[in-house]
Amino acid sequence: MTSPTGRRRLPAASGSGPSPPGGSAPPEGQPWHTLPVAAVAELLSTSVATGLGPDDAATRLRAYGPNAITQRRRRSASRILVGQFSDFMVLVLAAAAVLAGVIGEPQDTVAIGAILVLNAILGFMQEYRAERALEALRTLAVASVRVRRGGVTTVVPGIEVVPGDLVLLETGNLVPADLRLTEVAHLRAEEAALTGESQVVDKLTVTLPDPHAVVGDRRNMAYKGTAVAHGRGAGLVVATGMATELGRIAGLLAQETGVKTPLQLRLTRLGQRLAGAALAICALVLALGLVRGEAPLPMLLTAISLAVAAIPEALPAVVTVALALGARRMIRERALVRHLPAVETLGSVTFICVDKTGTLTQNRMRVESYWVGRSAAEPPPPSVRTGPWPRLLEALALNNNVHLTPGGAPLGDPTEVALVQAAAGAGCDPAMAARRYPRVGELPFTPERACMTTLHRFGAETVAFTKGSPERVLSKCVNRLGTDAPGPMDVATVLRRADEMAEAGLRVIAVAFRQFPEPPDPVSPATVEAGQTLLGLVGLLDPPRPEAAAAVATCRSAGITVVMITGDHAVTARNIAARLGILDQDGEVLAGAQLGSLDPEELVRRAGLVRVYARVAPEQKIAIIRALQSQGECVAMTGDGVNDAPALQRAEIGIAMGLSGTDVAREVADVVLLDDNFATIVSAVRAGRRIYDNIRKFVRYAVTCNAAEVWTLLFAPLIALPIPLLPIHLLWINLVTDGLPGIALAAEPAERDVMRRPPRRPDENIFARGLWQHVIWVGLLMAGVTLATQAWAYHAGSAHWQTMAFTVLALSQMGHVLAIRSERESLFGMGITSNPWLLAAVALTVVLQLGTIYLPGASRVFKTQPLGVRELLICLAVSTVVFLAVEAEKWLIRRRVLYRAPAVTGPPSRPEPV
């Protein structure tokens, strides 16, 4: 069944009444916020008191599916397979196969057909794996949610929440689905992720009459992806997954079409230009052959084969293979690539704009220090039982809304969780304290009071514990608790100490208490929070990740600037940035208020200099990115909220948080960090540079070898030699000799200096930095040694001249692929075995090449003759010329005699494993 809103409905359970629609409005079309709570519960067939039954929840989960943002549909396997035969050059090969059959060369037809099938299988496997890699998004971790089912409070994965569930909310929670609120206790929500409004929203349960109220005005609703700022509450789930407001936005943002990378576009243009040149050369070769009296049909087939050999039709496929392999490798490094173009673009990143919390830091507050009485102290050992410490630890354990799981793990606001953990670490068991001193009242935190108070029964007395900002708490205190008893307090001294702790980057909380012989009546700030005794100050910090400083240093050596953009206070941001090496001692921290006062021109000028932005609004992130891009920078941006989605789309690389991020942020991002770790971004950049380097190596190898084949066939008639290669030889070289080692180059480990050179320009030509010169002279050299071998054998009267030319050309390419594993470093310095896949591909290619000569069946197909020992040794010796020449070229590059290589900085690093 479907509701009038077009969304699926559950079959009605027996005696349960109407079934829930699971959409943004009930079946009658009236918005949820205009209905009383009782009517909502009736429509959802649930209970405000007990929630759904477990069996009913399981039934609805099967009917509605997971509470998740759906991903775009994958291409089917059949579509991927058919796509392998749509390429222009594949059609040219097919035409060559038909022509070979027409002129009576069935072995060529079979060989070309096998080539087509093998190429299709390889391309299918790589594309299918790339598509499957994207599906890993579905397995990303989802936050747990407290729900009440059958009257029992339980914790379930957010992905298993269903319409009708009664969800319990508390400070720090992310709302897992769209809820109609049924209960609120000073509940306030941060909805900027959905509405863009920075102010927190006070929530209520009363019915709102306006059916056209915008999302931000529906104060009796809570929406998926928003966060509980403070207070507690409960609500009935009215929509999940793509039926939520968040899902609606995700559906709009997900309407993207596939795009080719700049590299793929450049390679496509390269192929088109080479095709034009190849057709002209082929026409010339055909004409020269006919002038020499060669048979027309064999010469036509040779010309077509030469065209196939001249055009590196495998380049787009190899690019896809390299990107897909790189994406798979990055998954192992905890980075999920959603769009393959991002893998290439990562190599060009010059600025990384990164959030502080959770990415550079551990996203878990930790008590760093205390100030108790007159002295500072590190967290006390469990044996501390004197002075103010016992009462202070009791305050930390009791004054909070942290929920303890059955296993004892605390859930709730990160600050309160840190305080509870500190108390537990010092020997005060929070669960035992809660049982011994039950809570009898609460004054929840409000921004106006900037503090929170809880009341507990201590035997015959009542004790109030208060925590909050030092200024507000101290204004309520009349003394402090000393070693033995309360004593006088110097407010100025305590505030000065609080300022010193804050300047060290700590979040400072003051803790106080007051004892009442009788429970206060009424429970109000005036009666409870006045006349208190200070227990001390607690300094908390979200500590930097241990690996973050090294990752920032790596970025610096790689010419990448790290910029921290955070909503935190400037003092805290400066401290963390200084610890990590992002900010120099006299570096500037630009606050959001200052940023808003800058005109666009001034922002562009300052953007290249500022390294830390604090108290930044979501829209200001886009302004920062635009300012950097206007200076020609390639920007990577991290984000986790829906409000970050425009910034993620604006940046060249959008990076979403896989653990703490919203589904919409993940949907629009190019890369998802599965561990929310900045060091993972650096690993992704390293992988991007490695992949681009390997693509360049394949271009260098394939285009040079193809050029050598063209020069060989073009110059042979000009120096009065017969056509040295048959069509089957060209096809063999194009598939096996070029293909196997070329694909193995995708597994080449990163070069030692990969993170010690400046980023490449995004508009850099693929043939920049000496590659086009290499293609020309090495192609000519390879053709020269092939023709020299042919000429020697031909004029010496050997009947094996064609086989020798075929062998020298194939083996020369093996020497070439070994030499170009690095553009600068010698093969012997890198280690011959550092890429075992390439070594195996070269060895296999050599064995297969010898098989075409010495295996009787293969020699008939390839029209070759077995070479004698002397002839084979000559072929092997001549083939090493290309290897030695390229090694000499790299020796000159290292000494900066040839080309302009990018400078490298910092100490050498070890090559990455394959």
Side-chain angles (χ1 to χ4, degrees):
M1 297 177 62
T2 59
S3 72
T5 57
R7 294 178 173 89
R8 182 172 51 183
R9 297 179 58 188
L10 280 173
S14 59
S16 63
S19 59
S24 59
E28 292 74 12
Q30 190 176 0
W32 292 110
H33 67 273
T34 64
L35 298 176
V37 170
V40 172
E42 182 179 356
L43 285 168
L44 293 171
S45 304
T46 187
S47 168
V48 175
T50 61
L52 293 174
D55 293 340
D56 197 7
T59 300
R60 297 187 185 198
L61 181 60
R62 290 192 296 270
Y64 286 97
N67 174 34
I69 302 301
T70 58
Q71 310 300 323
R72 63 181 178 87
R73 182 178 298 176
R74 290 190 292 119
R75 286 193 301 163
S76 65
S78 59
R79 288 186 60 189
I80 296 175
L81 184 60
V82 171
Q84 306 306 312
F85 296 95
S86 61
D87 186 77
F88 172 75
M89 289 314 301
V90 171
L91 299 177
V92 171
L93 275 174
V98 173
L99 181 60
V102 169
I103 65 174
E105 298 289 347
Q107 67 274 22
D108 287 357
T109 301
V110 172
I112 296 173
I115 289 170
L116 289 174
V117 171
L118 181 59
N119 180 71
I121 292 174
L122 291 174
F124 169 79
M125 290 175 61
Q126 293 302 332
E127 290 194 37
Y128 184 72
R129 287 173 179 172
E131 290 285 336
R132 288 296 295 262
L134 299 182
E135 289 298 297
L137 275 178
R138 297 183 183 274
T139 64
L140 289 174
V142 179
S144 298
V145 181
R146 291 176 64 218
V147 299
R148 188 173 297 148
R149 289 181 176 174
V152 178
T153 300
T154 184
V155 178
V156 301
I159 203 169
E160 295 180 6
V161 170
V162 297
D165 260 329
L166 181 62
V167 174
L168 308 181
L169 300 174
E170 57 189 15
T171 302
N173 286 168
L174 287 176
V175 180
D178 287 1
L179 311 178
R180 171 62 166 92
L181 295 172
T182 61
E183 177 186 347
V184 296
H186 302 282
L187 183 68
R188 307 180 92 185
E190 295 177 352
E191 296 185 340
L194 191 63
T195 65
E197 298 179 10
S198 58
Q199 295 296 322
V200 294
V201 180
D202 289 293
K203 292 298 182 178
L204 41 80
T205 61
V206 298
T207 303
L208 300 177
D210 184 6
H212 304 293
V214 297
V215 172
D217 293 334
R218 302 173 192 169
R219 295 171 58 195
N220 60 4
M221 301 284 294
Y223 290 99
K224 181 178 176 66
T226 62
V228 178
H230 45 78
R232 299 193 307 276
L236 294 173
V237 176
V238 298
T240 59
M242 294 301 290
T244 62
E245 287 292 329
L246 190 67
R248 182 180 63 82
I249 297 174
L252 295 175
L253 293 174
Q255 294 174 359
E256 303 173 8
T257 57
V259 295
K260 287 188 175 182
T261 71
L263 177 62
Q264 287 173 317
L265 293 174
R266 287 196 293 269
L267 293 179
T268 300
R269 290 194 295 268
L270 168 66
Q272 293 170 348
R273 292 167 184 164
L274 288 179
L279 290 176
I281 294 174
C282 291
L284 180 60
V285 170
L286 177 61
L288 291 174
L290 294 177
V291 169
R292 288 175 51 86
E294 303 283 352
L297 284 178
M299 278 306 304
L300 178 60
L301 185 58
T302 298
I304 293 176
S305 300
L306 180 59
V308 173
I311 302 172
E313 72 281 350
L315 275 181
V318 169
V319 169
T320 301
V321 169
L323 295 178
L325 289 177
R328 290 177 61 200
R329 188 173 188 269
M330 287 167 65
I331 288 177
R332 295 196 297 270
E333 297 180 0
R334 311 302 295 163
L336 176 64
V337 178
R338 294 197 63 251
H339 303 133
L340 287 183
V343 181
E344 174 202 337
T345 312
L346 279 166
S348 296
V349 167
T350 58
F351 268 74
I352 300 178
C353 297
V354 60
D355 186 29
K356 174 184 72 69
T357 305
T359 308
L360 293 172
T361 63
Q362 299 179 27
N363 195 23
R364 60 172 187 85
M365 299 297 288
R366 184 179 70 197
V367 173
E368 288 284 301
S369 65
Y370 298 84
W371 189 86
V372 179
R374 298 179 182 276
S375 62
E378 294 301 319
S383 60
V384 171
R385 288 291 182 270
T386 60
W389 286 110
R391 186 52 55 93
L392 174 61
L393 296 178
E394 289 171 347
L396 300 185
L398 295 171
N399 182 252
N400 59 75
N401 287 318
V402 170
H403 170 71
L404 297 177
T405 65
L411 297 176
D413 178 79
T415 299
E416 292 190 334
V417 167
L419 297 176
V420 169
Q421 290 175 331
C428 181
D429 186 348
M432 183 178 296
R435 289 193 297 268
R436 291 178 59 190
Y437 312 120
R439 181 184 297 191
V440 295
E442 175 185 352
L443 293 173
F445 176 91
T446 65
E448 294 76 21
R449 294 190 309 111
C451 64
M452 170 188 178
T453 298
T454 57
L455 290 93
H456 301 266
R457 188 168 60 246
F458 271 58
E461 294 186 330
T462 299
V463 174
F465 291 116
T466 299
K467 73 173 188 297
S469 72
E471 295 83 0
R472 295 299 179 89
V473 173
L474 287 173
S475 68
K476 305 174 186 298
C477 293
V478 295
N479 54 21
R480 64 170 181 84
L481 186 62
T483 304
D484 300 317
M489 177 184 62
D490 184 349
V491 175
T493 299
V494 179
L495 287 176
R496 186 166 57 251
R497 180 57 187 168
D499 290 339
E500 292 173 357
M501 295 172 70
E503 289 174 0
L506 301 179
R507 180 181 180 185
V508 184
I509 293 177
V511 183
F513 82 107
R514 179 182 176 185
Q515 292 179 261
F516 297 88
E518 300 289 337
D521 185 25
V523 175
S524 67
T527 59
V528 174
E529 294 177 346
Q532 296 208 342
T533 298
L534 179 69
L535 289 172
L537 303 176
V538 182
L540 301 99
L541 179 71
D542 181 6
R545 290 180 178 269
E547 64 277 12
V552 170
T554 300
C555 285
R556 284 196 165 190
S557 68
I560 300 172
T561 301
V562 179
V563 175
M564 178 194 291
I565 302 179
T566 179
D568 215 332
H569 290 280
V571 173
T572 304
R574 174 184 290 277
N575 179 271
I576 296 294
R579 290 192 185 198
L580 296 177
I582 296 175
L583 190 69
D584 296 331
Q585 187 173 4
D586 56 348
E588 179 183 10
V589 177
L590 190 62
Q594 300 169 287
L595 185 62
S597 65
L598 299 179
D599 57 55
E601 292 77 14
E602 178 67 11
L603 176 58
V604 169
R605 188 186 69 80
R606 300 275 290 278
L609 304 174
V610 177
R611 298 295 177 262
V612 178
Y613 297 86
R615 285 302 201 199
V616 173
E619 62 273 12
Q620 292 176 324
K621 296 180 180 180
I622 301 176
I624 295 169
I625 293 173
R626 286 176 174 165
L628 291 172
Q629 289 173 331
S630 67
Q631 298 178 351
E633 306 292 352
C634 181
V635 182
M637 175 73 196
T638 69
D640 54 10
V642 180
N643 59 316
D644 291 325
L648 295 178
Q649 286 187 320
R650 177 68 191 182
E652 280 81 359
I653 295 291
I655 303 173
M657 303 297 107
L659 296 179
S660 61
T662 61
D663 291 332
V664 174
R666 297 172 189 153
E667 186 68 25
V668 303
D670 302 294
V671 177
V672 176
L673 300 185
L674 303 183
D675 56 2
D676 293 9
N677 192 341
F678 177 72
T680 303
I681 302 176
V682 179
S683 296
V685 171
R686 180 184 289 109
R689 292 190 174 191
R690 168 181 176 263
I691 289 166
Y692 181 76
D693 283 352
N694 290 349
I695 291 173
R696 265 181 59 96
K697 290 169 187 175
F698 180 84
V699 170
R700 180 187 299 267
Y701 175 65
V703 177
T704 300
C705 294
N706 290 355
E709 296 162 28
V710 171
W711 300 137
T712 300
L713 291 181
L714 178 62
F715 291 140
L718 298 180
I719 58 176
L721 288 175
I723 299 298
L725 301 172
L726 298 175
I728 191 66
H729 297 159
L730 293 172
L731 294 174
W732 172 261
I733 291 174
N734 215 33
L735 173 70
V736 179
T737 311
D738 287 358
L740 291 178
I743 292 176
L745 282 173
E748 188 67 30
E751 297 190 35
R752 298 176 193 271
D753 65 348
V754 69
M755 292 299 283
R756 293 187 293 115
R757 9 168 163 129
R760 65 178 176 86
R761 298 191 313 275
D763 60 346
E764 178 186 90
N765 190 289
I766 190 67
F767 287 102
R769 292 183 274 127
L771 197 150
W772 70 267
Q773 296 98 320
H774 176 95
V775 166
I776 292 176
W777 81 262
V778 176
L780 289 171
L781 176 63
M782 204 176 295
V785 297
T786 301
L787 292 175
T789 303
Q790 177 193 4
W792 174 82
Y794 181 75
H795 291 298
S798 172
H800 301 162
W801 58 267
Q802 192 171 63
T803 301
M804 293 182 69
F806 176 37
T807 303
V808 167
L809 182 58
L811 296 183
S812 294
Q813 294 184 1
M814 296 303 95
H816 182 231
V817 76
L818 290 174
I820 63 165
R821 287 183 52 201
S822 170
E823 296 185 18
R824 295 168 50 88
E825 192 172 357
S826 167
L827 173 65
F828 305 106
M830 298 173 62
I832 297 177
T833 61
S834 56
N835 185 352
W837 296 106
L838 180 61
L839 200 61
V842 169
L844 178 60
T845 302
V846 172
V847 170
L848 293 175
Q849 178 65 28
L850 295 178
T852 65
I853 300 173
Y854 293 106
L855 293 178
S859 64
R860 286 194 299 270
V861 172
F862 289 94
K863 299 180 176 63
T864 58
Q865 296 82 33
L867 299 177
V869 174
R870 178 170 174 267
E871 292 173 325
L872 181 60
L873 290 176
I874 290 174
C875 291
L876 291 173
V878 173
S879 301
T880 61
V881 171
V882 173
F883 171 80
L884 296 175
V886 176
E887 284 292 328
E889 177 194 41
K890 293 191 293 184
W891 183 83
L892 294 174
I893 291 174
R894 291 196 295 272
R895 281 150 184 77
R896 297 186 175 273
V897 177
L898 287 179
Y899 319 137
R900 292 186 60 186
V904 297
T905 59
S909 56
R910 293 181 298 174
E912 293 183 351
V914 176

